[in-house]
Amino acid sequence: MTHAIEAALFLHLLGVAVWIGGMVFAHFCLRPALGDLAPQLRLPLWEAVFARFFNWVAGAVLVILITGGFLLAQYGGAHAAWPLHAMAGLGIVMMLIFGHIRFGVFPRIRRAVQAQNWPDGARAVGTVRRLVVVNLVLGVVTIGTAVLSRGI
Ligand code: HEM
């Protein structure tokens, strides 16, 4: 069982690294680098980038959810330390925000790019940017909460 816990934690952290690392790269590296491009180039590029990245995030979310649920059960389920419940709560909020980005906002970017409606596309990409910042902050708080659980 010890190895099952280690394997689950390994996959859990891999999922977290893909999700948080991808958001850091998109927000702090790709976004500023594309800033000067014309919307005709920038928005189709964002659509292509998001289409791929969101598949990776969906996979990471699945892995984090399954391994996190397993780990939580191993650490006492309902009786686990409060930071673990806080992590689960924050994690689920992050996943709901991702769901809104993927299924609510991303289709707007797709439609705008297909219709070459650049102002609409730019607005939708701006919404993704704001929600990614929210998820980045929540992600950092969640990692802090996870570490806090060690001292309890
Ligand atoms: C449904 C959501 C989640 C559940 C149920 C969950 C549950 C757990 C559990 C039970 C552990 C083991 C704690 C330990 O080994 O002491 C853990 C570890 C960890 N989780 Fe989560 N987690 C979730 C989401 C997240 C998210 C979204 C993040 C980061 C953004 C995250 C970051 C971490 C980290 C960094 C650890 C390692 C903590 C350590 O070993 O010190 N978790 N998680």
Side-chain angles (χ1 to χ4, degrees):
M1 190 48 91
T2 340
H3 289 315
I5 289 178
E6 282 161 0
L9 191 57
F10 171 73
L11 292 173
H12 194 72
L13 294 180
L14 219 52
V16 169
V18 165
W19 191 1
I20 307 285
M23 289 197 292
V24 167
F25 171 74
H27 187 72
F28 291 107
C29 306
L30 192 55
R31 186 186 56 87
L34 299 187
D36 289 339
L37 288 186
Q40 291 86 332
L41 292 174
R42 190 164 41 88
L43 296 171
L45 193 58
W46 273 125
E47 189 211 345
V49 168
F50 285 152
R52 287 165 179 81
F53 178 53
F54 292 162
N55 284 343
W56 279 88
V57 177
V61 161
L62 215 63
V63 168
I64 291 170
L65 205 56
I66 292 168
T67 54
F70 171 77
L71 287 167
L72 199 59
Q74 301 305 310
Y75 284 88
H79 304 292
W82 71 263
L84 293 183
H85 288 290
M87 176 183 351
L90 287 165
I92 285 166
V93 171
M94 288 176 66
M95 290 168 194
L96 291 174
I97 291 174
F98 168 68
H100 176 65
I101 293 174
R102 172 62 187 84
F103 298 107
V105 187
F106 181 56
R108 271 173 48 204
I109 299 176
R110 279 225 148 122
R111 279 196 299 273
V113 167
Q114 268 158 18
Q116 305 199 349
N117 183 342
W118 309 123
D120 264 10
R123 263 192 298 278
V125 168
T127 304
V128 172
R129 179 180 57 80
R130 279 188 295 278
L131 291 173
V132 163
V133 169
V134 172
N135 255 359
L136 255 179
V137 172
L138 288 177
V140 170
V141 172
T142 309
I143 292 174
T145 314
V147 173
L148 205 64
S149 76
R150 296 233 142 192
I152 288 186

